[in-house]
Amino acid sequence: MTRKYTLSKNERLKSLKVIRNLFEQGQKFKTSPLIVYYHFHEKKNSDPDPFPLKMGVSVGAKYFRKAVDRNLLKRRMREAFRQQKLTLQEQLTQSHMLLDVFFVYAHASISEYNMIRDAIKFALEKFSSILEQNNQQ
């Protein structure tokens, strides 16, 4: 099986209802320069969606007035996620769980790609360890 390092439309959080639910009922933690909101839930048998991991990104206009800067940061977050998501995605598929995750950029200056990549790597590893703990119980 070839590994697909893609980030299709179906893997992104777009529904306002789902995103609002994620912010209200989900959990969060901070890993500089990001705030990560997430919500695990069980996959229903009637759910035909083959994507167990959905993500969204946001950069506020409070610190970055220019859309060019906001878009740069969003591209960096999506790229870092795209390159590192596969192991977590496979874990979620095996455990029949779904994960919605939303990355909010919460820093006043533009971070380098490596810093964003490390923050997303930390978040995905944390999700992986949460899944392992749930599977052991």
Side-chain angles (χ1 to χ4, degrees):
M1 182 176 136
T2 59
R3 301 185 109 187
K4 293 188 85 176
Y5 291 96
T6 61
L7 188 61
S8 67
K9 271 188 172 182
N10 296 329
E11 295 176 86
R12 298 187 187 181
L13 287 173
K14 297 180 295 245
S15 166
L16 187 61
K17 182 179 175 184
V18 172
I19 293 170
R20 187 175 291 130
N21 184 43
L22 173 64
F23 281 103
E24 289 173 358
Q25 297 181 359
Q27 297 173 298
K28 72 176 181 176
F29 62 90
K30 184 157 176 54
T31 172
S32 186
L34 305 174
I35 298 174
V36 183
Y37 293 85
Y38 67 98
H39 181 64
F40 282 99
H41 44 105
E42 297 227 9
K43 186 174 184 177
K44 299 178 182 106
N45 290 335
S46 62
D47 192 7
D49 195 2
F51 301 101
L53 180 59
K54 294 196 176 204
M55 67 89 70
V57 295
S58 174
V59 179
K62 180 178 179 181
Y63 296 115
F64 303 101
R65 298 277 183 223
K66 296 180 182 174
V68 175
D69 296 335
R70 292 192 302 273
N71 292 340
L72 170 70
L73 290 167
K74 288 190 274 189
R75 275 196 310 273
R76 287 180 179 176
M77 287 189 286
R78 283 192 295 261
E79 179 66 9
F81 179 82
R82 181 188 71 82
Q83 290 181 343
Q84 301 179 63
K85 69 176 180 165
L86 285 179
T87 52
L88 180 61
Q89 208 169 27
E90 290 167 359
Q91 248 185 319
L92 286 164
T93 302
Q94 290 172 356
S95 62
H96 302 290
M97 295 290 286
L98 300 175
L99 173 62
D100 296 333
V101 61
F102 204 92
F103 298 101
V104 178
Y105 190 83
H107 205 257
S109 62
I110 296 176
S111 297
E112 292 295 319
Y113 172 74
N114 292 336
M115 187 174 179
I116 294 171
R117 184 192 63 215
D118 292 343
I120 289 181
K121 182 178 181 178
F122 173 80
L124 296 179
E125 287 171 352
K126 183 170 181 160
F127 297 142
S128 185
S129 67
I130 291 171
L131 264 178
E132 286 175 12
Q133 288 174 358
N134 287 346
N135 288 340
Q136 290 175 356
Q137 292 177 354

